[in-house]
C-alpha cells in the first residue's frame, strides 16, 4: 500500500462559473460574487442596514450557483414526492457523484459492492429550516431528506458502496477535513477508493442574519483577502467532489492521475483567546507536521492556497502561521507565494476547502497561479517581508522543470484546522491511434428517450467546440468508460463535423425510440458480446497479415491438424493465397476459413484479457460461437 493517494476525478459547482469556463474566469481575474437569488426568500423583508435590527441582515451579497430546484429524480430512482422534501444539497451531491465517476472514466456499475468510502463535509441545514416554517409539507421522507449523515449515506446507497460513509461538520474546514479522512482511509487499506468533498447552499436567511449580528460579513460584498480594506467575508455556495485512490493501484489500473496527495493532516486549536479566534501556534504546528510528513522542504513549495477569507482577525493570524512554519525557512529572495480563491467567488464555508482544491488542481494542470484579486493595498497588520510571504497579484507561470507542489489550507471557526499537500503528476502520453480511422462508432445511451436526445444534442455541441480532441478518444470513452442504459443508438463517422451533424439530426427528430435491451435488470450482461460471422463475410486476403502473429498461426495449424482428416487442402495455405484469388467463391473453402480466422482472433483477444460475456453467430459462425462458449471442443467444432 502506497503512502501517496491519487486524485483521479473531480466535479464541482462554483458561483458564477462552469466547469468549462472556470480556469479562464480565474485567469481573467473575474469577480464572481453577485447576490442571493431573489426567489430564495424575500430579501426586502430580511434586509436592514443596522446589524442590531432584529431578524435582519445588512447584506445578502453572495456567490450563487443559480437555480438549485432542477433535479432528474427519475435518473437516481427517487420519486418526485421524495425529491420535493429532500435537501438540494443531497441532490447536488448525487449529481456530482455520477459526474466524478464519468470524469475518471469509471463505470459506476463496475464498483458496486466495493469498499469505496464516502466522506462529505456539510454544515448547512437551511432546507430543514424551510420545512420547519411549513410543517404541513413534512412527510416520511423529510427525515432522511434533511439529515446531514444521509448526504453521505445516500451516495453509498445509490452507488452500492460498502466502505465507510459519513458526514463531517467542522464548519469552514469541513470539506478539507473530509478529504483528509478519505486519504487516511485509503492509506490504512480500509478503503479501495473514496469520494470526498463538501457542499453548502443558501436556502434560508437564518445564517445571514446570525453572521451579520456577529459582524462577520463584508458590507462591501467582497472577500478582500490580505487587503487593508478587508471588512469580513461574503458568503458563497457550491460544492466539489473528488475521487481518490491508492497511488500504486491507480498506476496499475491505468487511471488518469490528476494530482498526487503527498500528505494531509488535521488538528484543533484547543483553548485560546476566544472560541472563534484562530490559533496561530496550532496552525503553524500543523503546517510543520504535514510538510515534514510529506518530506517536502519549504523552498520546494510553489504556492499556498490559503483559507484567506478577508477578515481583519483571520487573515493576519493565518499569514503569521504560514510565515512562521514555511515562509521564513525559504531564501529571502524567494518569498512563499500565497493567495485565495475567495477573492474571486467568496467563502463557501463547509465547501471552502473543495473550492480551494479545485483551484489547486487546475493550477497544477496549467502550471500557472492566477491572481488573487481585489488588492489595492496590502494589509498593514501582516508583516509580509518579515514572514517572507508574497501575495500573488498577477498571473504567475511556474517556470521550473519537474514536480510542482501546492498546499491548501483551511480552518473552521470552532478551531478545526486542515491542510493538504498536492504534487503534480507527469502522465505518460497514451496513443490514441486507430488502425481504421475512416469510420468510428459512437454509442450513446440514456434511461429515457428524451434524455437520449438531450445527450445527443449536448454531445454535438461538445464536438463543435472541441475539434482538437481526438475523435477516437471520444468514441472509445463513450463506448467503454461510460455507463450503458436501456435506450441506445449508434452512429458512424470519420470527422467531428460529420458526427455532430448526425447527432443534431437525431436530437431534432420526432421518432420514438424503443429500448435497446428490454430484459429485466437482473438479466443484463456486463461485458463484451462476440458475434461470429458466416458465409458472405469472406474476402481474398483475409487473415493473411494475422499469420505473422505467433498465437494466431499456432491456432490455425492446430485447426489444420484436425481439418486434414476431412479435406485434402490446408486452411493456412488458403489464407496465404497459394491456390488463387477466387477460392472463397466456394462455400466449402470459405466456411472453414472463416471459422478458423474467428477462432484465431478469439484466442488473441483472450491472450489480451478480453473475454466475452455472451456469444452468438450465424451460419458457420454459429459453430465458432459454440466453440467459444465451451459447448464444443475445437476438435468437435472442426468436424
Amino acid at each position: 500500500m502506497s503512502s501517496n493517494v491519487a486524485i483521479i476525478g473531480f466535479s464541482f459547482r462554483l458561483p458564477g462559473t462552469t466547469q468549462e469556463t472556470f480556469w479562464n474566469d480565474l485567469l481573467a481575474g473575474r469577480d464572481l460574487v453577485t447576490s442571493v437569488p431573489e426567489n430564495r426568500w424575500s430579501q426586502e423583508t430580511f434586509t436592514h442596514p443596522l446589524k442590531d435590527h432584529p431578524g435582519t441582515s445588512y447584506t445578502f451579497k453572495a456567490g450563487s450557483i443559480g437555480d438549485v430546484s432542477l433535479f432528474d429524480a427519475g435518473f437516481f430512482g427517487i420519486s418526485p414526492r421524495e425529491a420535493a422534501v429532500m435537501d438540494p444539497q443531497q441532490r447536488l451531491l448525487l449529481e456530482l457523484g455520477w459526474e466524478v465517476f464519468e470524469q475518471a472514466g469509471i463505470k459506476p456499475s463496475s464498483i458496486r459492492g466495493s469498499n469505496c468510502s464516502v466522506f462529505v463535509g456539510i454544515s448547512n441545514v437551511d432546507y430543514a429550516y424551510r420545512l420547519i416554517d411549513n410543517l404541513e409539507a413534512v412527510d416520511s421522507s423529510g427525515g432522511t431528506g434533511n439529515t446531514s449523515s444521509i448526504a453521505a449515506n445516500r451516495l453509498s446507497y445509490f452507488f452500492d458502496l460498502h466502505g465507510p460513509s459519513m458526514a463531517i461538520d467542522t464548519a469552514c474546514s469541513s470539506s478539507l477535513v473530509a478529504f483528509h479522512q478519505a486519504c487516511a482511509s485509503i492509506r490504512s487499506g480500509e478503503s479501495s477508493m473514496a469520494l470526498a468533498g463538501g457542499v453548502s447552499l443558501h436556502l434560508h436567511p437564518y445564517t445571514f442574519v446570525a453572521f451579520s449580528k456577529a459582524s462577520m460579513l463584508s458590507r462591501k460584498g467582497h472577500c478582500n483577502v490580505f487587503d487593508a480594506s478587508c471588512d469580513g467575508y461574503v458568503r458563497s455556495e457550491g460544492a466539489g467532489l473528488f475521487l481518490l485512490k491508492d497511488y500504486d493501484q491507480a498506476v496499475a489500473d491505468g487511471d488518469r492521475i490528476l494530482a498526487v496527495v503527498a500528505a494531509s493532516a488535521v488538528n484543533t486549536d484547543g483553548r485560546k483567546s476566544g472560541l472563534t479566534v484562530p490559533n496561530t501556534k496550532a496552525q503553524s504546528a500543523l503546517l510543520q507536521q504535514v510538510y515534514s510528513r510529506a518530506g517536502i522542504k519549504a523552498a520546494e513549495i510553489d504556492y499556498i492556497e490559503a483559507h484567506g477569507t478577508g477578515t481583519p482577525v483571520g487573515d493576519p493570524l493565518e499569514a503569521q502561521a504560514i510565515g512562521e512554519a514555511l515562509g521564513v525557512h525559504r531564501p529571502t529572495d524567494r518569498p512563499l507565494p500565497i493567495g485565495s480563491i475567495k477573492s474571486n467567488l467568496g467563502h463557501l464555508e463547509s465547501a471552502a476547502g473543495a473550492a480551494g482544491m479545485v483551484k489547486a488542481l487546475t493550477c497544477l494542470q496549467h502550471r500557472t497561479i492566477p491572481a488573487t484579486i481585489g488588492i489595492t493595498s496590502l494589509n498593514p497588520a501582516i508583516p509580509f517581508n518579515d514572514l517572507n510571504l508574497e501575495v500573488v497579484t498577477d498571473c504567475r507561470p511556474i517556470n521550473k522543470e519537474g514536480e510542482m507542489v501546492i498546499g491548501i489550507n483551511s480552518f473552521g471557526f470552532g478551531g478545526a484546522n486542515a491542510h493538504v499537500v498536492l504534487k503534480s503528476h507527469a502522465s505518460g502520453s497514451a496513443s490514441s491511434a486507430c488502425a481504421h480511422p475512416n469510420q468510428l462508432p459512437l454509442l450513446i445511451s440514456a434511461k429515457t428517450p428524451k434524455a437520449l436526445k438531450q445527450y445527443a444534442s449536448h454531445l454535438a455541441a461538445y464536438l463543435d467546440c472541441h475539434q482538437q480532441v481526438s475523435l477516437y478518444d471520444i468514441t472509445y470513452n463513450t463506448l467503454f468508460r461510460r455507463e450503458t442504459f436501456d435506450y441506445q443508438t449508434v452512429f458512424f463517422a470519420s470527422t467531428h463535423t460529420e458526427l455532430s451533424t448526425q447527432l443534431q439530426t437525431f436530437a431534432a427528430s420526432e421518432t420514438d425510440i424503443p429500448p435497446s435491451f428490454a430484459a429485466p435488470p437482473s438479466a443484463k450482461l456486463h461485458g463484451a458480446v462476440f458475434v461470429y460471422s458466416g458465409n458472405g463475410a469472406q474476402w481474398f486476403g483475409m487473415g493473411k497479415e494475422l499469420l505473422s502473429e505467433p498465437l494466431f498461426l499456432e491456432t490455425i495449424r492446430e485447426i489444420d491438424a484436425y481439418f486434414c482428416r476431412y479435406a485434402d487442402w490446408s486452411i493456412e495455405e488458403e489464407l496465404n493465397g497459394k491456390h488463387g484469388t477466387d477460392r472463397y467463391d466456394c462455400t466449402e473453402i470459405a466456411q472453414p476459413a472463416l471459422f478458423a480466422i474467428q477462432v484465431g482472433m478469439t484466442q488473441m483477444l483472450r491472450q489480451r484479457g478480453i473475454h466475452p460475456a455472451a456469444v452468438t453467430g450465424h451460419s458457420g459462425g454459429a459453430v465458432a460461437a459454440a466453440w467459444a462458449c465451451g459447448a464444443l471442443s475445437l476438435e468437435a467444432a472442426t468436424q
Side-chain angles (χ1 to χ4, degrees):
M1 186 67 63
S2 171
S3 62
N4 289 331
V5 174
I7 303 176
I8 62 173
F10 73 107
S11 189
F12 62 88
R13 301 283 190 278
L14 294 176
T17 189
T18 66
Q19 302 198 31
E20 290 74 26
T21 64
F22 173 72
W23 180 247
N24 287 332
D25 287 337
L26 289 189
L27 291 182
R30 293 195 174 96
D31 181 355
L32 304 172
V33 172
T34 53
S35 295
V36 175
E38 292 288 341
N39 61 356
R40 298 281 178 95
W41 58 78
S42 172
Q43 293 185 25
E44 182 179 357
T45 301
F46 295 101
T47 304
H48 196 280
L50 299 177
K51 77 165 189 174
D52 294 330
H53 190 274
T56 61
S57 172
Y58 53 74
T59 182
F60 286 110
K61 283 285 189 179
S64 172
I65 63 171
D67 189 356
V68 296
S69 65
L70 301 178
F71 178 62
D72 190 351
F75 181 89
F76 295 101
I78 296 170
S79 71
R81 182 172 180 175
E82 180 180 2
V85 294
M86 178 178 163
D87 189 339
Q89 294 181 125
Q90 293 188 23
R91 306 178 205 164
L92 184 53
L93 287 169
L94 282 172
E95 293 174 354
L96 294 182
W98 189 270
E99 290 172 11
V100 78
F101 282 121
E102 285 206 331
Q103 205 240 22
I106 294 175
K107 292 185 178 182
S109 61
S110 69
I111 59 166
R112 289 175 187 155
S114 73
N115 64 342
C116 180
S117 57
V118 179
F119 296 88
V120 172
I122 182 171
S123 299
N124 202 318
V125 291
D126 279 7
Y127 204 64
Y129 295 154
R130 294 178 71 101
L131 292 178
I132 290 172
D133 290 341
N134 181 20
L135 289 176
E136 293 180 358
V138 177
D139 65 10
S140 59
S141 299
T144 54
N146 293 272
T147 302
S148 292
S149 61
I150 300 297
N153 300 159
R154 197 181 289 275
L155 285 167
S156 300
Y157 170 77
F158 177 75
F159 292 108
D160 190 19
L161 310 177
H162 291 222
S165 180
M166 62 190 74
I168 293 174
D169 181 3
T170 58
C172 307
S173 58
S174 297
S175 57
L176 215 61
V177 171
F179 190 95
H180 163 75
Q181 294 297 337
C183 291
S185 182
I186 291 172
R187 290 188 180 110
S188 71
E190 180 181 53
S191 305
S192 56
M193 290 192 294
L195 285 171
V199 63
S200 181
L201 293 180
H202 301 155
L203 304 172
H204 193 276
Y206 169 82
T207 306
F208 278 92
V209 173
F211 286 178
S212 69
K213 301 309 178 198
S215 300
M216 292 182 178
L217 304 183
S218 167
R219 287 185 177 271
K220 297 194 300 289
H222 296 283
C223 290
N224 290 110
V225 182
F226 304 127
D227 189 70
S229 65
C230 65
D231 68 337
Y233 77 88
V234 56
R235 299 189 72 212
S236 290
E237 63 180 8
L241 206 58
F242 307 86
L243 184 59
L244 311 180
K245 195 173 190 178
D246 174 74
Y247 174 79
D248 289 344
Q249 191 61 54
V251 171
D253 292 344
D255 294 317
R256 183 169 66 107
I257 298 174
L258 306 174
V260 177
V261 184
S264 63
V266 299
N267 74 358
T268 308
D269 288 348
R271 187 78 177 182
K272 48 191 176 174
S273 61
L275 175 63
T276 63
V277 178
N279 185 331
T280 295
K281 290 184 178 180
Q283 290 192 26
S284 179
L286 180 71
L287 292 168
Q288 294 175 41
Q289 173 192 356
V290 72
Y291 284 96
S292 173
R293 182 181 299 168
I296 294 172
K297 297 178 180 179
E300 298 173 320
I301 303 170
D302 294 290
Y303 173 68
I304 294 291
E305 173 66 16
H307 191 62
T309 57
T311 59
V313 175
D315 283 7
L317 292 178
E318 182 186 17
Q320 186 76 24
I322 295 173
E324 289 179 356
L326 304 172
V328 298
H329 300 290
R330 293 167 61 95
T332 55
D333 61 343
R334 290 181 55 236
L336 178 62
I338 63 172
S340 174
I341 194 174
K342 296 177 183 66
S343 68
N344 299 94
L345 48 78
H347 182 13
L348 275 72
E349 296 168 346
S350 58
M357 185 69 64
V358 170
K359 177 182 174 181
L361 284 172
T362 49
C363 288
L364 291 175
Q365 177 186 350
H366 297 281
R367 299 186 72 84
T368 299
I369 309 300
T372 292
I373 66 172
I375 295 179
T376 56
S377 178
L378 288 173
N379 191 335
I382 303 174
F384 289 99
N385 290 335
D386 294 343
L387 296 172
N388 204 22
L389 302 178
E390 181 183 10
V391 182
V392 179
T393 55
D394 295 297
C395 287
R396 179 177 302 183
I398 303 300
N399 297 316
K400 76 171 189 179
E401 297 294 328
E403 189 175 83
M404 279 184 64
V405 177
I406 291 180
I408 304 98
N409 200 48
S410 192
F411 56 89
F413 75 159
N417 308 306
H419 196 87
V420 173
V421 183
L422 297 185
K423 297 191 298 185
S424 59
H425 182 263
S427 300
S429 56
S431 171
S432 61
C434 178
H436 301 285
N438 291 332
Q439 290 288 313
L440 292 169
L442 176 78
L443 174 71
I444 63 173
S445 69
K447 289 191 174 183
T448 67
K450 181 180 179 181
L452 187 64
K453 291 189 175 182
Q454 288 177 335
Y455 178 29
S457 178
H458 293 160
L459 191 53
Y462 176 86
L463 289 165
D464 290 340
C465 298
H466 295 82
Q467 297 277 333
Q468 77 283 4
V469 179
S470 163
L471 191 61
Y472 178 85
D473 288 347
I474 293 172
T475 55
Y476 176 90
N477 283 282
T478 303
L479 180 60
F480 292 109
R481 307 189 76 174
R482 286 179 66 102
E483 202 66 77
T484 303
F485 302 110
D486 288 347
Y487 292 87
Q488 307 170 10
T489 189
V490 65
F491 305 89
F492 291 87
S494 56
T495 68
H496 291 70
T497 302
E498 182 184 356
L499 189 53
S500 174
T501 301
Q502 292 182 40
L503 288 165
Q504 290 173 15
T505 301
F506 171 75
S509 70
E510 297 182 359
T511 305
D512 290 334
I513 309 164
S516 302
F517 200 137
S522 60
K524 291 186 180 180
L525 298 167
H526 298 282
V529 176
F530 287 6
V531 181
Y532 295 86
S533 300
N535 195 33
Q538 67 270 20
W539 49 278
F540 177 72
M542 64 178 185
K544 185 174 182 179
E545 291 184 9
L546 290 175
L547 290 171
S548 62
E549 294 283 343
L551 179 59
F552 183 83
L553 179 59
E554 178 185 338
T555 303
I556 296 300
R557 288 177 175 173
E558 183 181 0
I559 294 171
D560 257 343
Y562 297 126
F563 189 68
C564 69
R565 304 172 186 173
Y566 313 103
D568 58 358
W569 54 275
S570 162
I571 294 176
E572 180 183 353
E573 291 180 356
E574 292 296 339
L575 296 182
N576 266 312
K578 289 186 177 181
H579 302 298
T581 62
D582 58 351
R583 297 273 288 176
Y584 292 143
D585 292 342
C586 303
T587 299
E588 64 270 24
I589 303 294
Q591 293 276 30
L594 287 168
F595 166 80
I597 288 174
Q598 293 178 102
V599 170
M601 292 176 66
T602 301
Q603 295 288 56
M604 291 172 64
L605 289 169
R606 286 175 174 173
Q607 186 184 51
R608 290 160 173 80
I610 302 173
H611 301 274
V615 297
T616 186
H618 68 88
S619 185
V623 180
W627 163 81
C629 71
L632 293 176
S633 67
L634 187 59
E635 181 179 3
T638 308
Q639 292 179 352

